[in-house]
Amino acid sequence: MAMDRFNVGPIVVLGAGINGAAIARELALQGADVLLIDAEDLAGGTTSYSSRLIHGGLRYLEYAEISLVRESLAERDRLLHLAPEMVHPLELLIPVGNRLSGLISGAQRFFLKSGAAPKDGRGSLVVRLGLTLYDRFASGAVPSHRRLTAAQFAESKLNTKKFFTAFSYFDGQLTFPEQFVLALVQDAQAAVKEQGGAFSLRTYQHVRREGETLFFSSIHPNQESSGNEIAVTPAAVINAAGPWVDAALAGLNVPSAKLIGGTKGSHLISRCPDLRKALGPRGVYAEASDGRPIFILPWNDACLIGTTDIRYDGDPAEAVASDEEIEYLIDATNAIFPEVGFTREDVQQHYCGVRPLPAVGEGTTSSITRSHVVHRHEGEPFPLYSIIGGKLTTCRSLAEDTVKVVLPDLRQKVEYNSRDRPLPAPFFGDTPVDAALLPDVNIPVAHVAYVIEHFAAKTLADLVERRLMLVFDPNLSRQCLYTLGEQLATAGWLERSQIDDEVDHYVVRLQKRYGKRVS
């Protein structure tokens, strides 16, 4: 039995975002007993507000983070192969306006890790050099970069007064990272059946510690806590709470210097037909007026525009896109596609998340490393680790690195890894013939019941934002929300008398957090 192997209780993973779920899956492959815990919902933090790109980190080359780029490219190509239902190749254009700009400032960033972005943008020599290295470090899973011909550039609809040519290269896109997390959880459940051990997921949990024991109790927002606690003596605790890493340590009464210095990134979603037509099937990776890279991507039958990078010290749950950030991204879009005449009215909604970057001193946010660290906390009654940094693309390799640290500390061998393990899209249950559909959206009601039962969906936000992805559906309506509320009531997560008020409150949340209006 796995319990005998680890002698005490399960390995507890705090945080059920992309990194926590990947770590839980990697541990499950070893036959470990795993308890995945979150104070909120699966993928309820940074994962849901990411840029939805699986990429090698082209701009990291400027700061000489060669190992991170190699790792990211290897993971990009691996995910394209192992998770093709969720991750697909995406062609990106890099427009350039001159030939020589950025050579000196680029050398400063590469060798000294400092220096401002070039005022005139990165020139074609710098871009070509970066893309050449990018191709060399990759495995060949996607086409190599190329420079557009004059005719191709003219057809691209890019600003010909600002740019004189453009380069094409490929990365990957993950349409819904939220469902990627579901797939990781589902595969962790499958792994324990193969390897032994156990896997348990508990969301909306309050965690406290007394000595070497952790106590978990429900904090579900729609129900009063029963006061019942589950006591666990963990074999180890892995703090993968993302931007809440420091808060999680404080909740465990663990003294620690500040580990996370988050930055917030905002994104816009637009269904502007002129912008969608100008963009075509390819994304654009360009620079805003301050030299920060931004992108405009075809995504989910819309355009996804991002992102900002602003230091943020508040509660990550309260981070929203500011008016200044929205205008910044609108201006950057118009500089790339001036003929579109993009305005605030063309923005259907927005979202904002906080990156769990390492705490550092002064300096540009773009220079903060995106690599990850598994930090050991000494002197605690059980082995305790905090995950600092990380990114969507490298969640699997981060998980593998974490397991290589944790299991030897527990005197266990690492016998397996997920490098060649396929990750199919999550299964939402069979669709009955003539299945009833949710009002105004083409999703079977049976799928709602399935994710409530099997994927721990307990609130409207869980269903709309992180299971069914209706938050991005322009047809989402109050009637649809009411039907979802009925399903939650049937499952016992909501009183039927609460449905109207819950829908009203949720409509306000959608407006505040996403700028989304529901009819």
Side-chain angles (χ1 to χ4, degrees), residues 12 41 78 112 178 216 220 223 229 257 284 338 340 344 377 379 422 430 466 471 494:
V12 174
D41 185 33
R78 181 172 280 116
L112 303 177
E178 302 87 346
F216 303 98
H220 186 267
Q223 297 177 339
E229 289 187 323
V284 174
V340 170
R344 185 70 175 261
H377 296 271
D430 296 320
R466 295 176 289 275
V471 67
L494 191 65

Side-chain angles (χ1 to χ4, degrees), residues 87-156:
V87 181
H88 59 270
L90 176 66
E91 184 180 8
L92 295 159
L93 297 183
I94 302 180
V96 293
N98 60 71
R99 290 176 173 80
L100 302 178
S101 179
L103 288 173
I104 296 177
S105 60
Q108 289 176 324
R109 287 191 294 277
F110 189 88
F111 292 108
L112 303 177
K113 306 296 189 295
S114 64
K119 294 181 179 180
D120 297 326
R122 293 158 180 82
S124 59
L125 288 179
V126 170
V127 172
R128 184 184 289 276
L129 174 60
L131 289 172
T132 299
L133 290 173
Y134 208 59
D135 290 341
R136 182 168 297 179
F137 295 152
S139 67
V142 295
S144 298
H145 83 277
R146 62 185 176 87
R147 180 171 174 170
L148 300 190
T149 65
Q152 290 171 333
F153 177 70
E155 294 173 357
S156 69

Side-chain angles (χ1 to χ4, degrees), residues 434-508:
D434 299 326
L437 300 178
L438 288 171
D440 304 310
V441 297
N442 294 319
I443 292 180
V445 174
H447 287 191
V448 182
Y450 187 91
V451 298
I452 291 174
E453 180 180 358
H454 296 282
F455 283 133
K458 301 174 182 177
T459 71
L460 286 176
D462 297 351
L463 290 171
V464 173
E465 299 173 34
R466 295 176 289 275
R467 302 297 188 281
L468 308 175
M469 308 318 301
L470 294 172
V471 67
F472 301 117
D473 192 319
N475 298 316
L476 180 63
S477 64
R478 280 180 174 268
Q479 184 57 47
C480 179
L481 293 176
Y482 189 88
T483 304
L484 293 175
E486 290 180 321
Q487 291 294 308
L488 289 170
T490 299
W493 292 113
L494 191 65
E495 297 292 336
R496 293 194 181 276
S497 60
Q498 295 176 304
I499 295 177
D500 284 332
D501 285 345
E502 189 66 16
V503 169
D504 288 342
H505 292 155
Y506 188 62
V507 168
V508 172

Side-chain angles (χ1 to χ4, degrees), residues 45-94:
T46 305
T47 302
S48 290
Y49 307 118
S50 67
S51 298
R52 305 172 185 271
L53 282 172
I54 299 297
H55 65 103
L58 179 61
R59 72 179 184 85
Y60 307 153
L61 289 173
E62 285 193 313
Y63 294 94
E65 293 201 80
I66 305 300
S67 61
L68 175 58
V69 174
R70 286 182 180 274
E71 176 190 9
S72 300
L73 285 169
E75 292 303 305
R76 178 201 70 181
D77 294 348
R78 181 172 280 116
L79 289 175
L80 286 168
H81 173 65
L82 296 178
E85 294 177 88
M86 295 179 283
V87 181
H88 59 270
L90 176 66
E91 184 180 8
L92 295 159
L93 297 183
I94 302 180

